[in-house]
Amino acid sequence: IWFHGKITREQAERLLYPPETGLFLVRESTNYPGDYTLCVSCDGKVEHYRIIYHDGKLSIDEEEYFDNLMQLVEHYTKDADGLCTRLIKPKLMEGTVAAQDEFSRSGWAMNRKDLKLIQTIGKGEFGDVMVGDYRGTKVAVKCIKHDATAQAFLAEASVMTQLRHTNLVQLLGVIVEERGSLFIVTEYMAKGSLVDYLRSRGRTVLGGECLLKFSLYVCEAMEYLEANNFVHRDLAARNVLVSDDNIAKVSDFGLTKEASSTQDTAKLPVKWTSPEALREKKFSTKSDVWSYGVLLWEIYSFGRVPYPRIPLKEVVPRVEKGYKMEAPDGCPAAVYDLMKQCWTLDPAGRPSFRLLREKLQHIRAKELHL
Protein backbone atom coordinates (compact mmCIF):
# COMPACT_ATOMS: atom_id res chain seq x y z
CA ILE A 1 0.00 0.00 0.00
CA TRP A 2 3.04 2.22 0.68
CA PHE A 3 4.66 0.84 -2.49
CA HIS A 4 4.42 3.36 -5.31
CA GLY A 5 6.25 1.49 -8.08
CA LYS A 6 8.09 3.46 -10.74
CA ILE A 7 7.93 7.08 -9.63
CA THR A 8 10.78 9.60 -9.77
CA ARG A 9 12.64 11.08 -6.84
CA GLU A 10 10.80 14.39 -7.43
CA GLN A 11 7.38 12.73 -7.52
CA ALA A 12 8.20 10.99 -4.24
CA GLU A 13 9.14 14.30 -2.65
CA ARG A 14 5.89 15.87 -3.86
CA LEU A 15 3.89 12.96 -2.44
CA LEU A 16 5.58 13.39 0.96
CA TYR A 17 4.66 17.08 1.08
CA PRO A 18 3.60 18.73 3.40
CA PRO A 19 6.46 17.32 5.50
CA GLU A 20 5.45 15.18 8.42
CA THR A 21 8.21 13.34 10.27
CA GLY A 22 7.87 9.58 9.78
CA LEU A 23 5.70 9.77 6.66
CA PHE A 24 7.19 7.30 4.17
CA LEU A 25 6.82 5.41 0.91
CA VAL A 26 8.84 2.89 -1.11
CA ARG A 27 9.52 3.31 -4.83
CA GLU A 28 11.51 1.47 -7.48
CA SER A 29 15.00 2.91 -7.72
CA THR A 30 15.54 5.09 -10.78
CA ASN A 31 19.35 4.88 -10.66
CA TYR A 32 19.59 1.19 -9.80
CA PRO A 33 16.94 -0.73 -11.76
CA GLY A 34 15.80 -3.74 -9.74
CA ASP A 35 16.55 -2.07 -6.40
CA TYR A 36 14.13 -0.06 -4.29
CA THR A 37 14.32 3.28 -2.50
CA LEU A 38 12.77 4.06 0.88
CA CYS A 39 11.73 7.74 1.03
CA VAL A 40 11.12 9.21 4.48
CA SER A 41 10.03 12.67 5.52
CA CYS A 42 12.16 13.91 8.40
CA ASP A 43 12.38 17.35 10.03
CA GLY A 44 11.05 19.11 6.96
CA LYS A 45 13.04 17.29 4.28
CA VAL A 46 12.89 13.95 2.50
CA GLU A 47 15.66 11.36 2.91
CA HIS A 48 16.08 8.67 0.23
CA TYR A 49 17.57 5.33 1.34
CA ARG A 50 18.65 2.84 -1.24
CA ILE A 51 17.42 -0.70 -0.50
CA ILE A 52 20.02 -3.11 -1.78
CA TYR A 53 18.97 -6.44 -3.23
CA HIS A 54 21.59 -9.05 -2.44
CA ASP A 55 21.32 -12.86 -2.82
CA GLY A 56 17.55 -12.66 -2.72
CA LYS A 57 17.54 -10.56 0.47
CA LEU A 58 16.94 -6.86 1.01
CA SER A 59 18.96 -4.50 3.19
CA ILE A 60 19.51 -0.79 3.79
CA ASP A 61 22.63 -0.94 5.97
CA GLU A 62 23.98 -4.38 4.93
CA GLU A 63 23.70 -5.46 8.56
CA GLU A 64 20.02 -6.40 8.81
CA TYR A 65 18.67 -8.50 5.94
CA PHE A 66 15.02 -9.11 5.10
CA ASP A 67 13.15 -11.57 2.87
CA ASN A 68 10.77 -8.96 1.48
CA LEU A 69 9.74 -5.32 1.62
CA MET A 70 6.93 -6.05 4.09
CA GLN A 71 9.44 -7.38 6.64
CA LEU A 72 11.83 -4.51 6.06
CA VAL A 73 9.16 -1.85 6.52
CA GLU A 74 7.77 -3.60 9.58
CA HIS A 75 11.22 -3.64 11.18
CA TYR A 76 11.75 0.10 10.70
CA THR A 77 8.25 0.97 11.93
CA LYS A 78 9.29 -0.50 15.29
CA ASP A 79 12.75 1.01 15.43
CA ALA A 80 14.62 3.75 13.49
CA ASP A 81 17.74 1.53 13.70
CA GLY A 82 20.00 4.03 11.93
CA LEU A 83 17.39 5.85 9.82
CA CYS A 84 16.63 9.52 10.57
CA THR A 85 13.32 8.44 12.17
CA ARG A 86 11.27 5.32 12.56
CA LEU A 87 8.59 4.84 9.89
CA ILE A 88 5.38 6.18 11.36
CA LYS A 89 2.80 6.71 8.65
CA PRO A 90 2.66 5.11 5.22
CA LYS A 91 1.89 7.45 2.34
CA LEU A 92 -0.91 5.41 0.83
CA MET A 93 -0.67 4.87 -2.84
CA GLU A 94 -3.76 6.29 -4.45
CA GLY A 95 -3.13 2.71 -4.60
CA THR A 96 -5.80 0.96 -5.72
CA VAL A 97 -6.59 3.75 -8.17
CA ALA A 98 -3.18 3.33 -9.73
CA ALA A 99 -3.80 -0.41 -9.88
CA GLN A 100 -7.16 0.19 -11.54
CA ASP A 101 -5.40 2.32 -14.17
CA GLU A 102 -2.87 -0.44 -14.70
CA PHE A 103 -5.60 -3.04 -15.28
CA SER A 104 -7.57 -0.62 -17.48
CA ARG A 105 -4.51 -0.05 -19.64
CA SER A 106 -3.94 -3.76 -20.03
CA GLY A 107 -7.63 -4.39 -20.76
CA TRP A 108 -8.45 -6.39 -17.60
CA ALA A 109 -10.51 -3.83 -15.69
CA MET A 110 -14.22 -4.67 -15.40
CA ASN A 111 -17.09 -2.41 -14.55
CA ARG A 112 -18.57 -2.96 -11.09
CA LYS A 113 -22.03 -2.02 -12.41
CA ASP A 114 -21.99 -5.05 -14.71
CA LEU A 115 -21.28 -7.51 -11.90
CA LYS A 116 -24.07 -8.95 -9.74
CA LEU A 117 -22.95 -10.91 -6.68
CA ILE A 118 -25.36 -13.78 -6.05
CA GLN A 119 -24.18 -15.99 -3.19
CA THR A 120 -21.16 -16.97 -1.15
CA ILE A 121 -19.70 -20.38 -2.06
CA GLY A 122 -16.55 -20.31 0.02
CA LYS A 123 -14.84 -18.42 2.79
CA GLY A 124 -11.11 -17.93 2.69
CA GLU A 125 -8.85 -16.30 5.22
CA PHE A 126 -8.71 -13.21 2.99
CA GLY A 127 -12.33 -12.84 1.98
CA ASP A 128 -15.24 -14.65 0.41
CA VAL A 129 -15.56 -16.46 -2.87
CA MET A 130 -18.92 -15.78 -4.46
CA VAL A 131 -20.91 -16.78 -7.49
CA GLY A 132 -21.77 -13.78 -9.60
CA ASP A 133 -23.23 -12.79 -12.90
CA TYR A 134 -21.21 -10.63 -15.27
CA ARG A 135 -23.28 -9.46 -18.24
CA GLY A 136 -25.22 -12.71 -18.30
CA THR A 137 -22.26 -15.05 -17.70
CA LYS A 138 -21.92 -17.01 -14.48
CA VAL A 139 -18.59 -16.17 -12.85
CA ALA A 140 -16.66 -16.81 -9.63
CA VAL A 141 -15.55 -13.76 -7.69
CA LYS A 142 -12.88 -13.52 -5.02
CA CYS A 143 -13.75 -10.53 -2.83
CA ILE A 144 -10.85 -9.13 -0.85
CA LYS A 145 -11.51 -6.50 1.76
CA HIS A 146 -8.92 -3.80 1.74
CA ASP A 147 -5.63 -4.09 3.54
CA ALA A 148 -2.17 -5.41 2.81
CA THR A 149 -3.62 -8.60 1.41
CA ALA A 150 -5.25 -6.65 -1.41
CA GLN A 151 -1.73 -5.75 -2.55
CA ALA A 152 -0.76 -9.42 -2.56
CA PHE A 153 -3.86 -10.28 -4.57
CA LEU A 154 -3.16 -7.51 -7.04
CA ALA A 155 0.09 -9.36 -7.61
CA GLU A 156 -1.86 -12.61 -8.04
CA ALA A 157 -4.16 -10.97 -10.54
CA SER A 158 -1.27 -9.57 -12.53
CA VAL A 159 0.30 -13.05 -12.60
CA MET A 160 -3.00 -14.43 -13.86
CA THR A 161 -3.18 -11.88 -16.68
CA GLN A 162 -0.05 -13.47 -18.12
CA LEU A 163 -1.26 -17.06 -18.10
CA ARG A 164 -3.71 -18.76 -20.43
CA HIS A 165 -4.24 -22.50 -20.74
CA THR A 166 -7.34 -24.72 -21.00
CA ASN A 167 -6.42 -26.40 -17.72
CA LEU A 168 -5.81 -23.24 -15.69
CA VAL A 169 -8.78 -21.42 -14.21
CA GLN A 170 -9.08 -18.37 -16.46
CA LEU A 171 -9.01 -14.85 -15.10
CA LEU A 172 -11.79 -12.74 -16.68
CA GLY A 173 -11.05 -9.42 -15.07
CA VAL A 174 -10.39 -7.32 -12.01
CA ILE A 175 -12.43 -4.64 -10.28
CA VAL A 176 -10.68 -2.28 -7.89
CA GLU A 177 -13.10 -0.07 -5.99
CA GLU A 178 -12.32 3.42 -4.75
CA ARG A 179 -12.78 2.24 -1.19
CA GLY A 180 -10.12 -0.30 -1.85
CA SER A 181 -12.13 -3.52 -2.10
CA LEU A 182 -10.80 -5.81 -4.74
CA PHE A 183 -12.73 -8.31 -6.85
CA ILE A 184 -10.91 -10.94 -8.88
CA VAL A 185 -13.32 -12.41 -11.41
CA THR A 186 -12.62 -15.85 -12.89
CA GLU A 187 -14.51 -18.46 -14.85
CA TYR A 188 -17.07 -20.34 -12.76
CA MET A 189 -16.27 -24.01 -12.09
CA ALA A 190 -19.62 -25.65 -11.44
CA LYS A 191 -18.45 -28.90 -9.88
CA GLY A 192 -16.22 -27.41 -7.20
CA SER A 193 -12.87 -28.70 -6.00
CA LEU A 194 -11.39 -31.94 -7.27
CA VAL A 195 -11.00 -33.31 -3.75
CA ASP A 196 -14.74 -32.89 -3.05
CA TYR A 197 -15.60 -34.20 -6.49
CA LEU A 198 -13.61 -37.40 -5.91
CA ARG A 199 -14.95 -37.92 -2.37
CA SER A 200 -18.57 -37.41 -3.29
CA ARG A 201 -18.52 -39.77 -6.27
CA GLY A 202 -16.03 -42.44 -5.28
CA ARG A 203 -14.92 -45.57 -7.08
CA THR A 204 -18.37 -46.84 -7.99
CA VAL A 205 -18.86 -43.82 -10.25
CA LEU A 206 -15.35 -42.94 -11.40
CA GLY A 207 -13.39 -45.46 -13.43
CA GLY A 208 -9.68 -45.62 -14.15
CA GLU A 209 -10.05 -43.76 -17.44
CA CYS A 210 -11.59 -40.82 -15.60
CA LEU A 211 -8.84 -40.68 -12.94
CA LEU A 212 -6.16 -40.78 -15.62
CA LYS A 213 -7.88 -37.94 -17.47
CA PHE A 214 -7.85 -35.76 -14.33
CA SER A 215 -4.18 -36.61 -13.78
CA LEU A 216 -3.38 -35.54 -17.34
CA TYR A 217 -5.37 -32.30 -17.18
CA VAL A 218 -3.42 -31.17 -14.13
CA CYS A 219 -0.13 -32.33 -15.60
CA GLU A 220 -0.73 -30.34 -18.80
CA ALA A 221 -1.45 -27.16 -16.82
CA MET A 222 1.71 -27.70 -14.79
CA GLU A 223 3.77 -28.38 -17.91
CA TYR A 224 2.58 -24.99 -19.19
CA LEU A 225 3.56 -23.26 -15.92
CA GLU A 226 6.91 -25.06 -16.03
CA ALA A 227 7.54 -23.83 -19.58
CA ASN A 228 6.69 -20.27 -18.47
CA ASN A 229 8.91 -20.46 -15.42
CA PHE A 230 6.08 -20.13 -12.91
CA VAL A 231 6.01 -22.07 -9.67
CA HIS A 232 2.59 -22.78 -8.18
CA ARG A 233 3.73 -23.66 -4.61
CA ASP A 234 0.37 -24.94 -3.40
CA LEU A 235 -0.61 -27.71 -5.77
CA ALA A 236 -3.15 -30.05 -4.16
CA ALA A 237 -6.50 -31.55 -5.11
CA ARG A 238 -8.26 -28.81 -3.11
CA ASN A 239 -6.75 -26.24 -5.49
CA VAL A 240 -7.92 -27.99 -8.65
CA LEU A 241 -11.48 -27.18 -9.75
CA VAL A 242 -13.84 -29.15 -11.98
CA SER A 243 -15.95 -27.53 -14.70
CA ASP A 244 -19.49 -28.40 -15.70
CA ASP A 245 -18.14 -30.65 -18.47
CA ASN A 246 -15.72 -32.44 -16.10
CA ILE A 247 -12.53 -30.68 -17.10
CA ALA A 248 -10.08 -30.22 -14.23
CA LYS A 249 -8.29 -26.87 -13.99
CA VAL A 250 -5.58 -25.71 -11.63
CA SER A 251 -6.56 -22.66 -9.59
CA ASP A 252 -5.40 -20.49 -6.76
CA PHE A 253 -2.27 -18.81 -7.84
CA GLY A 254 -2.41 -17.09 -4.47
CA LEU A 255 1.16 -18.13 -3.83
CA THR A 256 2.35 -18.25 -7.40
CA LYS A 257 5.53 -16.26 -7.78
CA GLU A 258 7.89 -16.06 -10.69
CA ALA A 259 10.21 -18.98 -10.10
CA SER A 260 12.78 -18.64 -7.36
CA SER A 261 11.44 -16.43 -4.61
CA THR A 262 11.07 -17.20 -0.93
CA GLN A 263 8.07 -17.15 1.35
CA ASP A 264 6.96 -17.71 4.90
CA THR A 265 6.93 -21.45 5.61
CA ALA A 266 4.73 -21.28 8.71
CA LYS A 267 1.52 -21.68 6.71
CA LEU A 268 2.73 -24.33 4.29
CA PRO A 269 0.66 -27.47 3.82
CA VAL A 270 3.19 -29.95 5.21
CA LYS A 271 1.81 -33.09 3.56
CA TRP A 272 1.99 -31.58 0.07
CA THR A 273 5.24 -29.61 0.31
CA SER A 274 8.60 -31.04 -0.71
CA PRO A 275 11.27 -31.51 1.97
CA GLU A 276 13.60 -28.86 0.50
CA ALA A 277 10.78 -26.29 0.34
CA LEU A 278 9.88 -26.96 3.98
CA ARG A 279 13.48 -26.98 5.18
CA GLU A 280 15.15 -24.30 3.11
CA LYS A 281 12.25 -22.51 1.39
CA LYS A 282 13.58 -23.79 -1.92
CA PHE A 283 10.57 -23.59 -4.20
CA SER A 284 10.96 -24.60 -7.81
CA THR A 285 9.16 -26.50 -10.52
CA LYS A 286 10.71 -29.58 -8.90
CA SER A 287 8.95 -28.84 -5.60
CA ASP A 288 5.71 -28.57 -7.61
CA VAL A 289 6.51 -32.01 -9.06
CA TRP A 290 6.70 -33.42 -5.52
CA SER A 291 3.26 -31.93 -4.75
CA TYR A 292 1.95 -33.34 -8.01
CA GLY A 293 2.96 -36.83 -6.82
CA VAL A 294 0.85 -36.26 -3.69
CA LEU A 295 -2.01 -34.98 -5.85
CA LEU A 296 -1.84 -38.16 -7.97
CA TRP A 297 -2.10 -40.16 -4.75
CA GLU A 298 -5.18 -38.09 -3.78
CA ILE A 299 -6.78 -38.76 -7.17
CA TYR A 300 -6.22 -42.51 -7.01
CA SER A 301 -7.38 -42.75 -3.39
CA PHE A 302 -10.57 -40.78 -4.22
CA GLY A 303 -9.70 -37.78 -2.13
CA ARG A 304 -8.26 -39.33 1.03
CA VAL A 305 -6.00 -37.17 3.15
CA PRO A 306 -2.36 -38.10 2.41
CA TYR A 307 -0.19 -39.99 4.93
CA PRO A 308 -3.18 -41.62 6.61
CA ARG A 309 -2.57 -42.70 10.21
CA ILE A 310 0.73 -40.80 10.49
CA PRO A 311 0.68 -37.89 12.96
CA LEU A 312 1.45 -34.61 11.22
CA LYS A 313 4.65 -33.95 13.15
CA GLU A 314 6.06 -37.33 12.12
CA VAL A 315 5.46 -36.84 8.39
CA VAL A 316 8.56 -34.77 7.61
CA PRO A 317 11.12 -36.81 9.57
CA ARG A 318 9.79 -40.04 8.04
CA VAL A 319 9.72 -38.63 4.51
CA GLU A 320 13.29 -37.38 4.89
CA LYS A 321 14.35 -40.89 5.83
CA GLY A 322 12.90 -42.04 2.52
CA TYR A 323 9.38 -43.10 3.57
CA LYS A 324 6.91 -43.10 0.66
CA MET A 325 3.16 -43.68 0.88
CA GLU A 326 1.90 -47.03 -0.34
CA ALA A 327 -0.07 -47.28 -3.54
CA PRO A 328 -3.78 -46.53 -3.14
CA ASP A 329 -6.06 -49.59 -3.56
CA GLY A 330 -6.50 -50.46 -7.19
CA CYS A 331 -3.94 -47.92 -8.44
CA PRO A 332 -2.15 -49.16 -11.60
CA ALA A 333 1.51 -50.01 -10.95
CA ALA A 334 2.66 -47.68 -13.72
CA VAL A 335 0.91 -44.70 -12.08
CA TYR A 336 2.25 -45.57 -8.62
CA ASP A 337 5.69 -45.71 -10.17
CA LEU A 338 5.27 -42.09 -11.33
CA MET A 339 4.24 -41.01 -7.81
CA LYS A 340 7.42 -42.53 -6.41
CA GLN A 341 9.56 -40.73 -9.02
CA CYS A 342 7.94 -37.44 -7.97
CA TRP A 343 8.94 -38.22 -4.37
CA THR A 344 12.66 -38.51 -5.10
CA LEU A 345 14.39 -36.74 -2.20
CA ASP A 346 16.90 -35.02 -4.48
CA PRO A 347 14.91 -32.48 -6.54
CA ALA A 348 17.25 -32.93 -9.52
CA GLY A 349 16.22 -36.60 -9.68
CA ARG A 350 12.50 -35.82 -10.15
CA PRO A 351 10.99 -35.94 -13.63
CA SER A 352 9.85 -32.77 -15.42
CA PHE A 353 6.14 -32.20 -15.99
CA ARG A 354 6.79 -32.67 -19.66
CA LEU A 355 8.16 -36.16 -19.05
CA LEU A 356 5.32 -36.96 -16.65
CA ARG A 357 2.77 -35.96 -19.27
CA GLU A 358 4.45 -38.16 -21.89
CA LYS A 359 4.43 -41.11 -19.51
CA LEU A 360 0.78 -40.58 -18.55
CA GLN A 361 -0.20 -40.40 -22.22
CA HIS A 362 1.69 -43.62 -22.78
CA ILE A 363 -0.17 -45.31 -19.88
CA ARG A 364 -3.44 -44.01 -21.28
CA ALA A 365 -2.73 -45.29 -24.79
CA LYS A 366 -2.03 -48.74 -23.35
CA GLU A 367 -5.21 -48.75 -21.28
CA LEU A 368 -7.34 -47.72 -24.24
CA HIS A 369 -5.94 -50.60 -26.32
CA LEU A 370 -6.56 -53.30 -23.74
Side-chain angles (χ1 to χ4, degrees):
I1 313 249
W2 30 255
F3 182 63
H4 288 246
K6 284 188 176 66
I7 58 170
T8 64
R9 186 183 178 100
E10 292 69 38
Q11 284 171 309
E13 293 184 351
R14 279 204 298 279
L15 284 166
L16 296 173
Y17 187 87
E20 181 184 337
T21 293
L23 187 66
F24 72 94
L25 62 82
V26 178
R27 61 183 172 88
E28 287 180 36
S29 169
T30 32
N31 303 345
Y32 304 95
D35 283 359
Y36 303 108
T37 306
L38 171 65
C39 312
V40 192
S41 177
C42 199
D43 301 332
K45 58 181 198 297
V46 175
E47 300 288 346
H48 299 263
Y49 296 94
R50 181 181 169 198
I51 300 173
I52 299 151
Y53 199 71
H54 184 69
D55 281 348
K57 300 265 189 193
L58 301 170
S59 177
I60 287 179
D61 54 13
E62 305 203 38
E63 285 173 17
E64 285 271 2
Y65 284 90
F66 305 93
D67 286 335
N68 53 41
L69 285 173
M70 294 273 204
Q71 276 181 17
L72 179 139
V73 166
E74 197 170 337
H75 173 79
Y76 289 106
T77 49
K78 297 194 180 97
D79 181 355
D81 197 12
L83 303 186
C84 58
T85 165
R86 72 180 185 85
L87 307 180
I88 298 166
K89 183 175 165 190
K91 172 67 188 177
L92 297 182
M93 179 167 174
E94 301 318 340
T96 42
V97 181
Q100 180 71 13
D101 292 347
E102 187 56 40
F103 286 116
S104 301
R105 264 208 310 283
S106 55
W108 290 94
M110 282 181 160
N111 194 327
R112 177 67 181 91
K113 291 198 288 289
D114 294 332
L115 177 68
K116 286 202 281 291
L117 297 174
I118 299 165
Q119 72 181 76
T120 303
I121 48 174
K123 286 199 177 305
E125 54 179 314
F126 302 121
D128 297 345
V129 178
M130 301 187 71
V131 179
D133 178 290
Y134 186 75
R135 296 182 179 167
T137 302
K138 211 171 189 186
V139 293
V141 187
K142 236 186 221 182
C143 312
I144 291 103
K145 298 292 172 275
H146 194 41
D147 59 359
T149 51
Q151 293 300 90
F153 281 96
L154 284 169
E156 169 182 354
S158 63
V159 164
M160 289 180 76
T161 62
Q162 301 166 54
L163 302 170
R164 191 174 282 269
H165 185 276
T166 39
N167 299 111
L168 289 177
V169 172
Q170 182 57 47
L171 176 74
L172 302 174
V174 179
I175 298 166
V176 188
E177 287 196 312
E178 269 52 70
R179 296 194 308 284
S181 303
L182 173 66
F183 301 95
I184 296 180
V185 183
T186 60
E187 63 180 310
Y188 174 66
M189 302 289 283
K191 295 191 176 170
S193 80
L194 179 59
V195 73
D196 295 337
Y197 183 92
L198 293 162
R199 284 174 187 167
S200 59
R201 288 163 183 77
R203 59 184 76 234
T204 45
V205 180
L206 305 174
E209 162 68 359
C210 186
L211 301 181
L212 200 51
K213 215 165 56 183
F214 283 141
S215 308
L216 260 164
Y217 286 143
V218 176
C219 196
E220 284 170 20
M222 295 309 297
E223 180 183 5
Y224 170 81
L225 291 183
E226 171 178 78
N228 284 284
N229 203 27
F230 274 97
V231 179
H232 187 291
R233 300 165 163 246
D234 194 12
L235 186 59
R238 62 180 171 276
N239 287 333
V240 174
L241 302 178
V242 183
S243 71
D244 204 24
D245 49 0
N246 297 335
I247 293 177
K249 305 191 184 202
V250 173
S251 90
D252 244 343
F253 306 93
L255 300 171
T256 311
K257 303 278 184 300
E258 300 242 3
S260 88
S261 78
T262 57
Q263 84 175 69
D264 171 28
T265 47
K267 297 197 181 78
L268 291 174
V270 168
K271 291 180 170 189
W272 283 263
T273 307
S274 69
E276 75 279 2
L278 286 171
R279 278 262 182 261
E280 306 150 56
K281 301 192 180 185
K282 285 200 173 132
F283 286 90
S284 64
T285 292
K286 294 300 189 195
S287 58
D288 278 349
V289 167
W290 178 286
S291 309
Y292 179 74
V294 179
L295 186 143
L296 276 180
W297 188 92
E298 291 183 276
I299 290 175
Y300 279 86
S301 60
F302 298 90
R304 284 188 75 185
V305 176
Y307 302 97
R309 294 183 296 280
I310 297 179
L312 190 59
K313 59 179 190 301
E314 283 178 33
V315 171
V316 179
R318 287 178 68 168
V319 164
E320 288 183 325
K321 290 196 185 80
Y323 173 80
K324 292 181 171 65
M325 286 188 280
E326 287 165 26
D329 286 350
C331 172
V335 175
Y336 180 54
D337 196 48
L338 289 187
M339 291 178 205
K340 287 190 294 193
Q341 290 173 35
C342 294
W343 302 329
T344 305
L345 284 174
D346 174 9
R350 294 172 205 156
S352 65
F353 281 110
R354 183 178 169 186
L355 185 65
L356 286 165
R357 175 190 49 82
E358 288 169 356
K359 291 187 168 183
L360 284 166
Q361 283 177 328
H362 186 70
I363 294 171
R364 189 171 179 197
K366 277 169 95 170
E367 285 201 355
L368 292 175
H369 291 147
L370 287 179

